[in-house]
Amino acid sequence: MRTPLSAALLAAALAAMPTRAAEPLPSWNDGPSKKAILDFVAKATKDGSPDFVPPAERVAVFDNDGTLWAEQPVYFQVAFALDRVKALAPKHPEWKDKEPFKSVLAGDLKTALAGGEKAVAGLMLATHGGMTTAEFDETVRDWVTTARHPTLGRPYTELVYQPMLEVLAHLRANGFKPYITSGGGVEFMRVFAERVYGVPPEQVIGSSGKLKYEVRDGKPVLVKLPEIDFIDDKAGKPVAIQKHIGRRPVMAFGNSDGDFEMIQWTTTGPGPRFGLIVHHTDAEREWAYDRTSHIGKLDKGLDAAPKAGWTVVDMKKDWNVIYPAPK
Amino acid sequence: MRTPLSAALLAAALAAMPTRAAEPLPSWNDGPSKKAILDFVAKATKDGSPDFVPPAERVAVFDNDGTLWAEQPVYFQVAFALDRVKALAPKHPEWKDKEPFKSVLAGDLKTALAGGEKAVAGLMLATHGGMTTAEFDETVRDWVTTARHPTLGRPYTELVYQPMLEVLAHLRANGFKPYITSGGGVEFMRVFAERVYGVPPEQVIGSSGKLKYEVRDGKPVLVKLPEIDFIDDKAGKPVAIQKHIGRRPVMAFGNSDGDFEMIQWTTTGPGPRFGLIVHHTDAEREWAYDRTSHIGKLDKGLDAAPKAGWTVVDMKKDWNVIYPAPK
């Protein structure tokens, strides 16, 4: 039963709400980026507005690497795969003489990753394949707890962008359903996406290896095969969105040209649409890179944004905080 | 502002609720099947119960053909594909001399489908491929409005099982999230799943063809390629569930051996689990078929059910209504 005291507390809480609702993006400096996000959400949720979006259609898609968390000096899942190579090396004596494993074990990252995306995919398949999904889940869980970023010294899952966490929260508070749509591995991201971003497993879309259903000693398992199933990047992103969600999103957030088609697909549908690119401009607090970067290259998107009406976030200018305070 | 009249109506509505909640499955006769469903939902949602399932984990998966709607004399999507062959024939003069199109056009269904699953897949790819997802959506929408079942004379979307609609509603009312996991095409089912079953597009998992993202005259489209991407049947079902949902369901509903692995995967996890097979036993009101049927063969499942603790619905005995009343 509600006591008079709890009723008073409830009233106080309700009275406090408008204030909090009026400042949903505290880590964003006032300016066109912040205004664009707030204005879009306001008009899309205003009943009777010509730009009203019914709750079921409020789908927002987010890239992960470079959009929700950092991606330098290597994609964090690559760091995980490199750590896996080291952990698994005793069981694979043949890796001593075989690239890219040889260079990984010698600490020569440049040579190890010289083969580009293909080398990275090979590392992931070799280190992730053969495990059951449950074993893989446990390995990732372990890694995100113990591994530290090489220069920042913090757990990778703390290197998420505080301003983007606030966007996720603001969207959820307004009936939007945020999905992650990333080139990263879906099984990898699902381990921490709910805890870190509040995004449940069924709203995580990513690249994937093939899976095989097996009954081992009477117990069903799903085994990760060392074979690529789907690469969720570039033109693969709209495809994955259609397959997984079956609705065209109304908001899309990315940072690199790998997100170009996702933002294009999202923003060219009928009705109100919103596209945003996080431009990494802050060499001091984070990293500054775009048109010529090997990781997170942003070239086509920068050229297309003004004409397409996409918001380009100037990280240095628009964000007053990058990462959440250490816990 | 609430008037005294609306307050009275509200009170009346609230007073009526317990009655409705007490009889959530009116089309089910009293018996072990109905009891098993109600008991499971009751214990899974009872706070403090050892079998309590947290709301986020309340995932239920349903096969479609033969579980949520009928599947005789041919899977309804096959009927759609046959109708598409006829509609597209003028544009494909070569079909006159090419099987299985030749037999479809001559009305010889037996010869047309003699090639089994492969022939059916070929028909679907030939008739669905090349369209954009938007065009396909419109074509299906049209078909479900105009086509009629050959012997029952009703629209296919009215040949859904009323008792299963009640299960879906009961689960939703108790915080479960029902997914469809069917061998049928995902793009096909999504057109009507929300209207007919209350299952939104993002909760529909099915077989799929490959998609291609293209910009046509400056306008992005997703094109259906005449190439299979994934067959969501048998051991493919747990794989699709993992890829799409990333959680192991706690309830699974199927009718044929194509659902065996899905029910097995669901019911062998830790904690409370529920598996159900719809056994087609009603030759008068529906169809009676199981171990030797070409469509919806149920053999392995019937043998495994008693030991596995799966509920086997005797359609003739357990259901007092099959289809919803005609509108």
Short mmCIF file of all heavy atoms in Angstrom, two decimals, chain B residues 255-304:
data_model
loop_
_atom_site.label_atom_id
_atom_site.label_comp_id
_atom_site.label_asym_id
_atom_site.label_seq_id
_atom_site.Cartn_x
_atom_site.Cartn_y
_atom_site.Cartn_z
N ASN B 255 4.50 -28.36 -35.73
CA ASN B 255 3.58 -29.43 -36.08
C ASN B 255 4.24 -30.57 -36.85
O ASN B 255 3.71 -31.67 -36.90
CB ASN B 255 2.39 -28.91 -36.89
CG ASN B 255 2.78 -28.63 -38.33
OD1 ASN B 255 3.60 -27.75 -38.58
ND2 ASN B 255 2.21 -29.37 -39.29
N SER B 256 5.41 -30.30 -37.46
CA SER B 256 5.99 -31.34 -38.30
C SER B 256 7.43 -31.62 -37.86
O SER B 256 7.97 -30.94 -36.99
CB SER B 256 5.99 -30.90 -39.76
OG SER B 256 7.06 -30.00 -39.99
N ASP B 257 8.04 -32.60 -38.51
CA ASP B 257 9.43 -32.91 -38.17
C ASP B 257 10.38 -31.79 -38.60
O ASP B 257 11.53 -31.76 -38.16
CB ASP B 257 9.85 -34.25 -38.79
CG ASP B 257 9.27 -35.42 -37.99
OD1 ASP B 257 8.72 -35.18 -36.90
OD2 ASP B 257 9.35 -36.57 -38.47
N GLY B 258 9.91 -30.88 -39.43
CA GLY B 258 10.69 -29.68 -39.74
C GLY B 258 10.89 -28.80 -38.53
O GLY B 258 11.78 -27.94 -38.50
N ASP B 259 10.07 -29.02 -37.51
CA ASP B 259 10.17 -28.23 -36.27
C ASP B 259 10.90 -28.97 -35.16
O ASP B 259 11.04 -28.45 -34.05
CB ASP B 259 8.75 -27.89 -35.77
CG ASP B 259 7.93 -27.21 -36.85
OD1 ASP B 259 8.46 -26.29 -37.48
OD2 ASP B 259 6.76 -27.61 -37.06
N PHE B 260 11.33 -30.19 -35.45
CA PHE B 260 11.91 -31.04 -34.41
C PHE B 260 13.08 -30.36 -33.70
O PHE B 260 13.10 -30.25 -32.47
CB PHE B 260 12.36 -32.37 -35.02
CG PHE B 260 12.86 -33.36 -34.00
CD1 PHE B 260 11.97 -34.20 -33.35
CD2 PHE B 260 14.20 -33.45 -33.68
CE1 PHE B 260 12.41 -35.11 -32.39
CE2 PHE B 260 14.66 -34.34 -32.73
CZ PHE B 260 13.76 -35.17 -32.09
N GLU B 261 14.06 -29.90 -34.47
CA GLU B 261 15.27 -29.31 -33.86
C GLU B 261 14.93 -28.01 -33.11
O GLU B 261 15.54 -27.71 -32.09
CB GLU B 261 16.34 -29.05 -34.92
CG GLU B 261 17.03 -30.32 -35.41
CD GLU B 261 16.27 -31.04 -36.51
OE1 GLU B 261 15.13 -30.62 -36.85
OE2 GLU B 261 16.80 -32.04 -37.04
N MET B 262 13.99 -27.26 -33.63
CA MET B 262 13.59 -26.02 -32.95
C MET B 262 13.01 -26.32 -31.57
O MET B 262 13.36 -25.66 -30.58
CB MET B 262 12.55 -25.29 -33.81
CG MET B 262 11.90 -24.10 -33.14
SD MET B 262 10.73 -23.24 -34.24
CE MET B 262 9.22 -24.17 -33.93
N ILE B 263 12.15 -27.34 -31.53
CA ILE B 263 11.55 -27.70 -30.23
C ILE B 263 12.60 -28.32 -29.32
O ILE B 263 12.65 -28.06 -28.12
CB ILE B 263 10.33 -28.64 -30.44
CG1 ILE B 263 9.29 -27.96 -31.35
CG2 ILE B 263 9.70 -29.00 -29.11
CD1 ILE B 263 8.09 -28.84 -31.70
N GLN B 264 13.47 -29.13 -29.91
CA GLN B 264 14.54 -29.76 -29.12
C GLN B 264 15.47 -28.71 -28.52
O GLN B 264 15.79 -28.74 -27.33
CB GLN B 264 15.33 -30.70 -30.04
CG GLN B 264 16.42 -31.49 -29.35
CD GLN B 264 17.23 -32.30 -30.35
OE1 GLN B 264 17.74 -31.79 -31.34
NE2 GLN B 264 17.34 -33.60 -30.09
N TRP B 265 15.91 -27.76 -29.34
CA TRP B 265 16.80 -26.68 -28.89
C TRP B 265 16.13 -25.87 -27.77
O TRP B 265 16.74 -25.53 -26.77
CB TRP B 265 17.16 -25.80 -30.08
CG TRP B 265 17.95 -24.56 -29.77
CD1 TRP B 265 17.55 -23.26 -29.97
CD2 TRP B 265 19.28 -24.47 -29.23
NE1 TRP B 265 18.53 -22.39 -29.59
CE2 TRP B 265 19.60 -23.09 -29.13
CE3 TRP B 265 20.21 -25.42 -28.81
CZ2 TRP B 265 20.83 -22.64 -28.63
CZ3 TRP B 265 21.44 -24.96 -28.32
CH2 TRP B 265 21.73 -23.60 -28.24
N THR B 266 14.86 -25.59 -27.97
CA THR B 266 14.13 -24.78 -26.99
C THR B 266 13.98 -25.51 -25.66
O THR B 266 14.19 -24.92 -24.59
CB THR B 266 12.73 -24.43 -27.54
OG1 THR B 266 12.88 -23.67 -28.75
CG2 THR B 266 11.92 -23.62 -26.55
N THR B 267 13.64 -26.78 -25.73
CA THR B 267 13.24 -27.47 -24.50
C THR B 267 14.39 -28.12 -23.74
O THR B 267 14.18 -28.67 -22.66
CB THR B 267 12.17 -28.55 -24.80
OG1 THR B 267 12.69 -29.46 -25.78
CG2 THR B 267 10.91 -27.91 -25.33
N THR B 268 15.61 -28.06 -24.29
CA THR B 268 16.74 -28.68 -23.59
C THR B 268 17.61 -27.64 -22.88
O THR B 268 18.67 -27.98 -22.34
CB THR B 268 17.60 -29.53 -24.54
OG1 THR B 268 17.91 -28.75 -25.70
CG2 THR B 268 16.88 -30.79 -24.96
N GLY B 269 17.20 -26.39 -22.90
CA GLY B 269 17.95 -25.37 -22.15
C GLY B 269 17.65 -25.47 -20.67
O GLY B 269 16.76 -26.22 -20.25
N PRO B 270 18.40 -24.71 -19.86
CA PRO B 270 18.16 -24.73 -18.41
C PRO B 270 16.86 -24.01 -18.05
O PRO B 270 16.37 -23.19 -18.81
CB PRO B 270 19.36 -23.97 -17.85
CG PRO B 270 19.82 -23.08 -18.98
CD PRO B 270 19.47 -23.80 -20.25
N GLY B 271 16.31 -24.35 -16.90
CA GLY B 271 15.10 -23.68 -16.43
C GLY B 271 13.85 -24.23 -17.08
O GLY B 271 13.89 -25.24 -17.78
N PRO B 272 12.71 -23.58 -16.83
CA PRO B 272 11.44 -24.09 -17.34
C PRO B 272 11.36 -23.95 -18.86
O PRO B 272 11.77 -22.95 -19.43
CB PRO B 272 10.41 -23.18 -16.66
CG PRO B 272 11.14 -21.93 -16.34
CD PRO B 272 12.56 -22.33 -16.07
N ARG B 273 10.85 -24.98 -19.50
CA ARG B 273 10.81 -25.06 -20.96
C ARG B 273 9.49 -25.67 -21.39
O ARG B 273 8.94 -26.53 -20.69
CB ARG B 273 11.95 -25.97 -21.45
CG ARG B 273 13.33 -25.51 -21.03
CD ARG B 273 13.79 -24.40 -21.93
NE ARG B 273 14.83 -23.58 -21.32
CZ ARG B 273 15.46 -22.62 -22.00
NH1 ARG B 273 15.16 -22.41 -23.27
NH2 ARG B 273 16.36 -21.89 -21.40
N PHE B 274 9.02 -25.29 -22.56
CA PHE B 274 7.74 -25.79 -23.04
C PHE B 274 7.80 -26.08 -24.53
O PHE B 274 8.19 -25.23 -25.33
CB PHE B 274 6.65 -24.75 -22.77
CG PHE B 274 5.27 -25.20 -23.15
CD1 PHE B 274 4.49 -25.94 -22.28
CD2 PHE B 274 4.75 -24.89 -24.41
CE1 PHE B 274 3.22 -26.37 -22.63
CE2 PHE B 274 3.47 -25.32 -24.78
CZ PHE B 274 2.71 -26.06 -23.88
N GLY B 275 7.42 -27.30 -24.92
CA GLY B 275 7.37 -27.67 -26.33
C GLY B 275 5.99 -28.21 -26.66
O GLY B 275 5.39 -28.93 -25.85
N LEU B 276 5.48 -27.85 -27.82
CA LEU B 276 4.14 -28.29 -28.23
C LEU B 276 4.11 -28.64 -29.71
O LEU B 276 4.69 -27.93 -30.53
CB LEU B 276 3.11 -27.19 -27.92
CG LEU B 276 1.64 -27.50 -28.23
CD1 LEU B 276 0.73 -26.81 -27.21
CD2 LEU B 276 1.25 -27.06 -29.64
N ILE B 277 3.43 -29.77 -29.99
CA ILE B 277 3.24 -30.20 -31.38
C ILE B 277 1.75 -30.24 -31.68
O ILE B 277 0.98 -30.86 -30.94
CB ILE B 277 3.84 -31.61 -31.61
CG1 ILE B 277 5.36 -31.57 -31.46
CG2 ILE B 277 3.45 -32.15 -32.97
CD1 ILE B 277 6.01 -32.96 -31.50
N VAL B 278 1.34 -29.56 -32.75
CA VAL B 278 -0.04 -29.65 -33.21
C VAL B 278 -0.16 -30.91 -34.08
O VAL B 278 0.47 -30.99 -35.14
CB VAL B 278 -0.43 -28.41 -34.03
CG1 VAL B 278 -1.83 -28.58 -34.62
CG2 VAL B 278 -0.36 -27.15 -33.18
N HIS B 279 -0.93 -31.88 -33.62
CA HIS B 279 -1.12 -33.12 -34.36
C HIS B 279 -2.43 -33.02 -35.14
O HIS B 279 -3.50 -32.86 -34.56
CB HIS B 279 -1.14 -34.29 -33.38
CG HIS B 279 -1.14 -35.64 -34.03
ND1 HIS B 279 -1.39 -36.80 -33.35
CD2 HIS B 279 -0.91 -36.01 -35.32
CE1 HIS B 279 -1.32 -37.83 -34.18
NE2 HIS B 279 -1.03 -37.38 -35.37
N HIS B 280 -2.32 -33.12 -36.44
CA HIS B 280 -3.49 -32.96 -37.32
C HIS B 280 -4.30 -34.26 -37.35
O HIS B 280 -3.95 -35.18 -38.09
CB HIS B 280 -3.05 -32.54 -38.72
CG HIS B 280 -2.46 -31.17 -38.74
ND1 HIS B 280 -3.18 -30.05 -39.10
CD2 HIS B 280 -1.24 -30.72 -38.39
CE1 HIS B 280 -2.42 -28.98 -38.99
NE2 HIS B 280 -1.23 -29.35 -38.57
N THR B 281 -5.35 -34.30 -36.55
CA THR B 281 -6.11 -35.54 -36.35
C THR B 281 -7.56 -35.41 -36.79
O THR B 281 -8.36 -36.30 -36.55
CB THR B 281 -6.11 -35.90 -34.85
OG1 THR B 281 -6.55 -34.74 -34.11
CG2 THR B 281 -4.74 -36.32 -34.37
N ASP B 282 -7.90 -34.29 -37.41
CA ASP B 282 -9.30 -33.99 -37.65
C ASP B 282 -9.63 -33.99 -39.14
O ASP B 282 -9.63 -32.95 -39.80
CB ASP B 282 -9.63 -32.63 -37.02
CG ASP B 282 -11.13 -32.43 -36.89
OD1 ASP B 282 -11.88 -32.94 -37.75
OD2 ASP B 282 -11.54 -31.75 -35.93
N ALA B 283 -9.93 -35.17 -39.66
CA ALA B 283 -10.19 -35.31 -41.10
C ALA B 283 -11.49 -34.63 -41.51
O ALA B 283 -11.68 -34.29 -42.67
CB ALA B 283 -10.24 -36.78 -41.49
N GLU B 284 -12.37 -34.42 -40.54
CA GLU B 284 -13.65 -33.79 -40.90
C GLU B 284 -13.57 -32.28 -40.98
O GLU B 284 -13.96 -31.67 -41.96
CB GLU B 284 -14.72 -34.18 -39.88
CG GLU B 284 -15.44 -35.46 -40.26
CD GLU B 284 -16.47 -35.84 -39.22
OE1 GLU B 284 -17.25 -34.95 -38.81
OE2 GLU B 284 -16.49 -37.02 -38.81
N ARG B 285 -13.06 -31.68 -39.92
CA ARG B 285 -13.04 -30.22 -39.89
C ARG B 285 -11.78 -29.64 -40.53
O ARG B 285 -11.73 -28.49 -40.92
CB ARG B 285 -13.15 -29.73 -38.44
CG ARG B 285 -14.48 -30.08 -37.77
CD ARG B 285 -14.53 -29.49 -36.37
NE ARG B 285 -13.43 -29.97 -35.54
CZ ARG B 285 -13.10 -29.45 -34.36
NH1 ARG B 285 -13.77 -28.42 -33.88
NH2 ARG B 285 -12.11 -29.96 -33.66
N GLU B 286 -10.70 -30.45 -40.58
CA GLU B 286 -9.46 -29.96 -41.18
C GLU B 286 -8.88 -31.07 -42.03
O GLU B 286 -9.53 -31.54 -42.94
CB GLU B 286 -8.49 -29.47 -40.07
CG GLU B 286 -7.57 -28.34 -40.52
CD GLU B 286 -6.10 -28.71 -40.48
OE1 GLU B 286 -5.75 -29.84 -40.14
OE2 GLU B 286 -5.28 -27.83 -40.80
N TRP B 287 -7.70 -31.58 -41.69
CA TRP B 287 -7.13 -32.71 -42.39
C TRP B 287 -6.49 -33.62 -41.33
O TRP B 287 -6.08 -33.12 -40.28
CB TRP B 287 -6.06 -32.27 -43.39
CG TRP B 287 -6.60 -31.62 -44.64
CD1 TRP B 287 -6.96 -32.25 -45.80
CD2 TRP B 287 -6.85 -30.23 -44.85
NE1 TRP B 287 -7.41 -31.33 -46.72
CE2 TRP B 287 -7.36 -30.08 -46.16
CE3 TRP B 287 -6.71 -29.07 -44.07
CZ2 TRP B 287 -7.72 -28.85 -46.71
CZ3 TRP B 287 -7.07 -27.84 -44.60
CH2 TRP B 287 -7.57 -27.74 -45.90
N ALA B 288 -6.40 -34.89 -41.62
CA ALA B 288 -5.71 -35.82 -40.71
C ALA B 288 -4.49 -36.37 -41.43
O ALA B 288 -4.62 -36.97 -42.50
CB ALA B 288 -6.65 -36.94 -40.27
N TYR B 289 -3.34 -36.14 -40.86
CA TYR B 289 -2.10 -36.63 -41.49
C TYR B 289 -0.98 -36.58 -40.47
O TYR B 289 -0.99 -35.79 -39.54
CB TYR B 289 -1.72 -35.77 -42.72
CG TYR B 289 -1.58 -34.28 -42.45
CD1 TYR B 289 -0.32 -33.71 -42.22
CD2 TYR B 289 -2.69 -33.45 -42.41
CE1 TYR B 289 -0.18 -32.34 -41.98
CE2 TYR B 289 -2.57 -32.08 -42.16
CZ TYR B 289 -1.31 -31.53 -41.95
OH TYR B 289 -1.19 -30.19 -41.69
N ASP B 290 -0.01 -37.48 -40.63
CA ASP B 290 1.19 -37.42 -39.79
C ASP B 290 2.36 -38.17 -40.39
O ASP B 290 3.06 -37.63 -41.25
CB ASP B 290 0.91 -37.86 -38.33
CG ASP B 290 0.10 -39.15 -38.21
OD1 ASP B 290 0.34 -40.08 -39.02
OD2 ASP B 290 -0.77 -39.23 -37.33
N ARG B 291 2.56 -39.46 -39.99
CA ARG B 291 3.83 -40.14 -40.26
C ARG B 291 4.20 -40.30 -41.74
O ARG B 291 5.37 -40.35 -42.08
CB ARG B 291 3.84 -41.52 -39.59
CG ARG B 291 3.79 -41.40 -38.07
CD ARG B 291 3.97 -42.76 -37.42
NE ARG B 291 3.72 -42.70 -35.98
CZ ARG B 291 4.67 -42.46 -35.07
NH1 ARG B 291 5.91 -42.29 -35.46
NH2 ARG B 291 4.37 -42.41 -33.78
N THR B 292 3.21 -40.42 -42.60
CA THR B 292 3.54 -40.70 -44.01
C THR B 292 3.15 -39.56 -44.93
O THR B 292 3.21 -39.69 -46.16
CB THR B 292 2.84 -41.99 -44.47
OG1 THR B 292 1.41 -41.77 -44.33
CG2 THR B 292 3.26 -43.18 -43.65
N SER B 293 2.78 -38.43 -44.36
CA SER B 293 2.32 -37.32 -45.20
C SER B 293 3.48 -36.68 -45.96
O SER B 293 4.60 -36.56 -45.44
CB SER B 293 1.63 -36.27 -44.34
OG SER B 293 1.26 -35.16 -45.12
N HIS B 294 3.21 -36.27 -47.17
CA HIS B 294 4.21 -35.57 -47.97
C HIS B 294 4.39 -34.15 -47.42
O HIS B 294 5.50 -33.65 -47.30
CB HIS B 294 3.73 -35.53 -49.43
CG HIS B 294 4.71 -34.93 -50.36
ND1 HIS B 294 5.95 -35.47 -50.58
CD2 HIS B 294 4.64 -33.80 -51.11
CE1 HIS B 294 6.62 -34.71 -51.44
NE2 HIS B 294 5.84 -33.69 -51.76
N ILE B 295 3.28 -33.53 -47.07
CA ILE B 295 3.32 -32.18 -46.48
C ILE B 295 3.14 -32.32 -44.97
O ILE B 295 2.24 -33.00 -44.50
CB ILE B 295 2.17 -31.31 -47.06
CG1 ILE B 295 2.46 -31.01 -48.53
CG2 ILE B 295 2.01 -30.01 -46.26
CD1 ILE B 295 1.32 -30.33 -49.25
N GLY B 296 3.99 -31.66 -44.23
CA GLY B 296 3.84 -31.65 -42.77
C GLY B 296 4.04 -33.00 -42.12
O GLY B 296 3.40 -33.34 -41.13
N LYS B 297 4.97 -33.77 -42.64
CA LYS B 297 5.25 -35.10 -42.07
C LYS B 297 5.65 -35.01 -40.59
O LYS B 297 6.54 -34.24 -40.23
CB LYS B 297 6.39 -35.75 -42.87
CG LYS B 297 6.79 -37.11 -42.34
CD LYS B 297 7.89 -37.73 -43.19
CE LYS B 297 8.42 -39.00 -42.52
NZ LYS B 297 9.40 -39.69 -43.36
N LEU B 298 4.96 -35.80 -39.78
CA LEU B 298 5.24 -35.81 -38.34
C LEU B 298 5.46 -37.25 -37.91
O LEU B 298 4.52 -38.03 -37.81
CB LEU B 298 4.07 -35.20 -37.56
CG LEU B 298 4.15 -35.30 -36.03
CD1 LEU B 298 5.33 -34.48 -35.50
CD2 LEU B 298 2.85 -34.84 -35.40
N ASP B 299 6.71 -37.60 -37.68
CA ASP B 299 7.05 -38.98 -37.37
C ASP B 299 7.98 -39.01 -36.15
O ASP B 299 7.60 -39.43 -35.05
CB ASP B 299 7.74 -39.59 -38.61
CG ASP B 299 8.00 -41.07 -38.45
OD1 ASP B 299 7.13 -41.78 -37.91
OD2 ASP B 299 9.09 -41.54 -38.87
N LYS B 300 9.18 -38.47 -36.34
CA LYS B 300 10.17 -38.37 -35.28
C LYS B 300 9.60 -37.65 -34.06
O LYS B 300 9.83 -38.06 -32.91
CB LYS B 300 11.36 -37.55 -35.83
CG LYS B 300 12.70 -38.03 -35.44
CD LYS B 300 13.84 -37.49 -36.33
CE LYS B 300 13.99 -35.99 -36.36
NZ LYS B 300 15.37 -35.58 -36.79
N GLY B 301 8.87 -36.59 -34.31
CA GLY B 301 8.32 -35.77 -33.22
C GLY B 301 7.32 -36.54 -32.38
O GLY B 301 7.30 -36.41 -31.15
N LEU B 302 6.48 -37.37 -33.03
CA LEU B 302 5.50 -38.16 -32.29
C LEU B 302 6.19 -39.16 -31.38
O LEU B 302 5.73 -39.42 -30.26
CB LEU B 302 4.58 -38.91 -33.26
CG LEU B 302 3.37 -38.15 -33.83
CD1 LEU B 302 2.54 -39.09 -34.70
CD2 LEU B 302 2.51 -37.54 -32.73
N ASP B 303 7.29 -39.74 -31.87
CA ASP B 303 8.03 -40.71 -31.06
C ASP B 303 8.74 -40.03 -29.89
O ASP B 303 8.81 -40.58 -28.79
CB ASP B 303 9.07 -41.43 -31.92
CG ASP B 303 8.41 -42.34 -32.95
OD1 ASP B 303 7.25 -42.74 -32.73
OD2 ASP B 303 9.05 -42.63 -33.99
N ALA B 304 9.28 -38.85 -30.14
CA ALA B 304 10.09 -38.19 -29.12
C ALA B 304 9.27 -37.50 -28.03
O ALA B 304 9.72 -37.36 -26.90
CB ALA B 304 11.02 -37.16 -29.78
#
